[in-house]
Amino acid sequence: MYMDPVDAAEVLEVHTSTLRTWARTGRLDGIVDWFHDPCNGWRYYRVGDIRALAEKRRRAR
């Protein structure tokens, strides 16, 4: 299952532009599986990866 950028950003407690920058610059490589939808231009993120990253970020606080 995949989630759209709005939902992924909400789970990670970041702005959608931050999530977009992370994907574009490679910060999510090897951590979060995502794909780019050619029809609407959005990136979609794997739900389990986003949840795991959110948990890792919460523990790091």
Side-chain angles (χ1 to χ4, degrees):
M1 273 178 34
Y2 287 83
M3 64 174 58
D4 65 43
V6 174
D7 293 335
E10 186 177 313
V11 169
L12 292 170
E13 299 176 350
V14 298
H15 195 272
T16 54
S17 63
T18 300
L19 188 59
R20 188 170 45 249
T21 299
W22 288 355
R24 189 179 63 245
T25 61
R27 183 169 176 185
L28 299 178
D29 291 354
I31 300 170
V32 175
D33 183 33
W34 60 274
F35 73 92
H36 193 259
D37 187 323
C39 295
N40 62 18
W42 283 25
R43 291 175 177 89
Y44 288 86
Y45 305 90
R46 189 174 295 198
V47 172
D49 294 346
I50 293 296
R51 289 183 180 152
L53 180 56
E55 182 61 30
K56 182 178 177 181
R57 287 173 47 84
R58 279 195 263 299
R59 280 189 247 140
R61 289 184 190 169

